[in-house]
Short mmCIF file of all heavy atoms in Angstrom, two decimals:
data_model
loop_
_atom_site.label_atom_id
_atom_site.label_comp_id
_atom_site.label_asym_id
_atom_site.label_seq_id
_atom_site.Cartn_x
_atom_site.Cartn_y
_atom_site.Cartn_z
N LEU H 58 -28.34 -2.52 -156.18
CA LEU H 58 -28.07 -1.78 -154.95
C LEU H 58 -28.43 -2.62 -153.72
O LEU H 58 -27.70 -2.66 -152.74
CB LEU H 58 -28.86 -0.47 -154.96
CG LEU H 58 -28.64 0.47 -153.78
CD1 LEU H 58 -27.25 1.08 -153.82
CD2 LEU H 58 -29.70 1.58 -153.77
N ALA H 59 -29.57 -3.31 -153.80
CA ALA H 59 -29.98 -4.18 -152.70
C ALA H 59 -28.93 -5.26 -152.49
O ALA H 59 -28.49 -5.53 -151.36
CB ALA H 59 -31.35 -4.80 -153.00
N LYS H 60 -28.49 -5.87 -153.60
CA LYS H 60 -27.49 -6.95 -153.52
C LYS H 60 -26.20 -6.44 -152.88
O LYS H 60 -25.62 -7.10 -152.02
CB LYS H 60 -27.23 -7.47 -154.94
CG LYS H 60 -26.53 -8.81 -154.96
CD LYS H 60 -26.21 -9.23 -156.39
CE LYS H 60 -25.33 -10.47 -156.34
NZ LYS H 60 -24.69 -10.72 -157.64
N ASP H 61 -25.77 -5.25 -153.31
CA ASP H 61 -24.55 -4.65 -152.73
C ASP H 61 -24.72 -4.39 -151.24
O ASP H 61 -23.74 -4.32 -150.51
CB ASP H 61 -24.21 -3.34 -153.44
CG ASP H 61 -23.80 -3.57 -154.89
OD1 ASP H 61 -23.49 -4.74 -155.24
OD2 ASP H 61 -23.79 -2.60 -155.68
N ASN H 62 -25.97 -4.22 -150.80
CA ASN H 62 -26.25 -4.01 -149.38
C ASN H 62 -26.64 -5.30 -148.67
O ASN H 62 -27.27 -5.29 -147.63
CB ASN H 62 -27.36 -2.97 -149.22
CG ASN H 62 -26.82 -1.55 -149.35
OD1 ASN H 62 -26.19 -1.03 -148.43
ND2 ASN H 62 -27.02 -0.94 -150.51
N LYS H 63 -26.30 -6.42 -149.31
CA LYS H 63 -26.55 -7.76 -148.74
C LYS H 63 -28.04 -8.06 -148.51
O LYS H 63 -28.41 -8.74 -147.57
CB LYS H 63 -25.76 -7.95 -147.42
CG LYS H 63 -24.27 -7.68 -147.57
CD LYS H 63 -23.45 -8.46 -146.59
CE LYS H 63 -21.98 -8.54 -146.97
NZ LYS H 63 -21.46 -7.42 -147.78
N ILE H 64 -28.87 -7.49 -149.37
CA ILE H 64 -30.29 -7.81 -149.32
C ILE H 64 -30.63 -8.64 -150.55
O ILE H 64 -30.39 -8.20 -151.68
CB ILE H 64 -31.17 -6.53 -149.32
CG1 ILE H 64 -30.76 -5.60 -148.18
CG2 ILE H 64 -32.65 -6.89 -149.23
CD1 ILE H 64 -31.45 -4.22 -148.25
N ASP H 65 -31.13 -9.86 -150.34
CA ASP H 65 -31.60 -10.67 -151.47
C ASP H 65 -32.92 -10.09 -151.96
O ASP H 65 -33.67 -9.52 -151.18
CB ASP H 65 -31.86 -12.12 -151.03
CG ASP H 65 -30.57 -12.89 -150.80
OD1 ASP H 65 -29.52 -12.46 -151.34
OD2 ASP H 65 -30.60 -13.91 -150.08
N VAL H 66 -33.18 -10.27 -153.25
CA VAL H 66 -34.46 -9.83 -153.79
C VAL H 66 -35.13 -10.97 -154.55
O VAL H 66 -34.48 -11.63 -155.37
CB VAL H 66 -34.30 -8.61 -154.73
CG1 VAL H 66 -35.66 -8.18 -155.30
CG2 VAL H 66 -33.66 -7.43 -153.99
N ILE H 67 -36.38 -11.23 -154.22
CA ILE H 67 -37.20 -12.13 -155.03
C ILE H 67 -38.20 -11.24 -155.75
O ILE H 67 -38.94 -10.49 -155.11
CB ILE H 67 -37.95 -13.16 -154.16
CG1 ILE H 67 -36.95 -14.12 -153.49
CG2 ILE H 67 -38.95 -13.95 -155.01
CD1 ILE H 67 -37.60 -15.08 -152.50
N VAL H 68 -38.17 -11.29 -157.07
CA VAL H 68 -39.09 -10.46 -157.85
C VAL H 68 -40.34 -11.27 -158.15
O VAL H 68 -40.25 -12.40 -158.63
CB VAL H 68 -38.42 -10.02 -159.17
CG1 VAL H 68 -39.45 -9.39 -160.12
CG2 VAL H 68 -37.29 -9.04 -158.90
N THR H 69 -41.50 -10.72 -157.82
CA THR H 69 -42.75 -11.27 -158.37
C THR H 69 -43.39 -10.13 -159.14
O THR H 69 -43.53 -9.03 -158.63
CB THR H 69 -43.73 -11.83 -157.31
OG1 THR H 69 -44.51 -10.78 -156.76
CG2 THR H 69 -43.01 -12.58 -156.21
N ASP H 70 -43.72 -10.37 -160.39
CA ASP H 70 -44.09 -9.26 -161.27
C ASP H 70 -44.81 -9.80 -162.50
O ASP H 70 -44.81 -11.00 -162.76
CB ASP H 70 -42.79 -8.52 -161.69
CG ASP H 70 -43.04 -7.15 -162.29
OD1 ASP H 70 -44.20 -6.69 -162.30
OD2 ASP H 70 -42.07 -6.53 -162.76
N HIS H 71 -45.41 -8.90 -163.26
CA HIS H 71 -46.03 -9.30 -164.53
C HIS H 71 -45.70 -8.31 -165.64
O HIS H 71 -46.32 -8.33 -166.69
CB HIS H 71 -47.55 -9.44 -164.38
CG HIS H 71 -48.27 -8.14 -164.22
ND1 HIS H 71 -49.44 -7.85 -164.86
CD2 HIS H 71 -47.96 -7.04 -163.49
CE1 HIS H 71 -49.84 -6.63 -164.52
NE2 HIS H 71 -48.96 -6.12 -163.69
N HIS H 72 -44.74 -7.43 -165.40
CA HIS H 72 -44.39 -6.45 -166.42
C HIS H 72 -43.45 -7.02 -167.47
O HIS H 72 -42.74 -7.99 -167.21
CB HIS H 72 -43.79 -5.20 -165.76
CG HIS H 72 -44.82 -4.40 -165.02
ND1 HIS H 72 -45.07 -4.60 -163.68
CD2 HIS H 72 -45.68 -3.47 -165.44
CE1 HIS H 72 -46.04 -3.80 -163.31
NE2 HIS H 72 -46.43 -3.09 -164.36
N GLU H 73 -43.46 -6.40 -168.66
CA GLU H 73 -42.62 -6.84 -169.77
C GLU H 73 -41.14 -6.76 -169.39
O GLU H 73 -40.68 -5.71 -168.95
CB GLU H 73 -42.82 -5.92 -170.99
CG GLU H 73 -44.22 -5.91 -171.57
CD GLU H 73 -44.54 -7.16 -172.36
OE1 GLU H 73 -43.58 -7.81 -172.84
OE2 GLU H 73 -45.74 -7.47 -172.49
N PRO H 74 -40.40 -7.83 -169.58
CA PRO H 74 -38.96 -7.75 -169.29
C PRO H 74 -38.23 -7.00 -170.41
O PRO H 74 -38.72 -6.92 -171.53
CB PRO H 74 -38.53 -9.22 -169.28
CG PRO H 74 -39.53 -9.94 -170.10
CD PRO H 74 -40.82 -9.17 -170.01
N LYS H 75 -37.06 -6.42 -170.05
CA LYS H 75 -36.19 -5.84 -171.08
C LYS H 75 -35.12 -6.88 -171.40
O LYS H 75 -35.14 -7.98 -170.86
CB LYS H 75 -35.58 -4.54 -170.56
CG LYS H 75 -36.63 -3.44 -170.48
CD LYS H 75 -36.02 -2.10 -170.12
CE LYS H 75 -37.13 -1.05 -170.05
NZ LYS H 75 -36.72 0.13 -169.29
N ALA H 76 -34.18 -6.51 -172.28
CA ALA H 76 -33.17 -7.49 -172.72
C ALA H 76 -32.40 -8.06 -171.53
O ALA H 76 -32.09 -9.24 -171.48
CB ALA H 76 -32.22 -6.83 -173.71
N GLU H 77 -32.11 -7.21 -170.54
CA GLU H 77 -31.33 -7.66 -169.40
C GLU H 77 -32.25 -7.85 -168.19
O GLU H 77 -33.14 -7.02 -167.96
CB GLU H 77 -30.25 -6.63 -169.08
CG GLU H 77 -29.04 -7.22 -168.41
CD GLU H 77 -28.00 -6.13 -168.06
OE1 GLU H 77 -27.89 -5.16 -168.86
OE2 GLU H 77 -27.36 -6.23 -167.01
N LEU H 78 -31.99 -8.90 -167.41
CA LEU H 78 -32.82 -9.15 -166.22
C LEU H 78 -32.05 -8.74 -164.96
O LEU H 78 -30.82 -8.71 -164.97
CB LEU H 78 -33.19 -10.62 -166.14
CG LEU H 78 -34.17 -11.12 -167.21
CD1 LEU H 78 -34.29 -12.64 -167.17
CD2 LEU H 78 -35.54 -10.47 -167.02
N PRO H 79 -32.75 -8.41 -163.89
CA PRO H 79 -32.06 -7.99 -162.66
C PRO H 79 -31.36 -9.17 -161.96
O PRO H 79 -31.69 -10.32 -162.20
CB PRO H 79 -33.19 -7.45 -161.79
CG PRO H 79 -34.42 -8.12 -162.28
CD PRO H 79 -34.21 -8.36 -163.75
N GLU H 80 -30.39 -8.82 -161.09
CA GLU H 80 -29.66 -9.85 -160.35
C GLU H 80 -30.43 -10.28 -159.11
O GLU H 80 -29.93 -10.18 -157.99
CB GLU H 80 -28.29 -9.31 -159.94
CG GLU H 80 -27.36 -9.01 -161.09
CD GLU H 80 -26.04 -8.44 -160.60
OE1 GLU H 80 -25.34 -9.09 -159.81
OE2 GLU H 80 -25.73 -7.29 -160.98
N ALA H 81 -31.65 -10.72 -159.30
CA ALA H 81 -32.47 -11.17 -158.18
C ALA H 81 -32.20 -12.64 -157.92
O ALA H 81 -31.74 -13.35 -158.81
CB ALA H 81 -33.95 -10.97 -158.52
#
Side-chain angles (χ1 to χ4, degrees):
L58 183 70
K60 196 184 172 196
D61 293 344
N62 279 283
K63 305 208 163 27
I64 305 171
D65 286 340
V66 179
I67 294 174
V68 169
T69 83
D70 195 6
H71 71 137
H72 289 92
E73 297 285 337
K75 289 187 180 161
E77 207 182 325
L78 291 171
E80 295 178 59

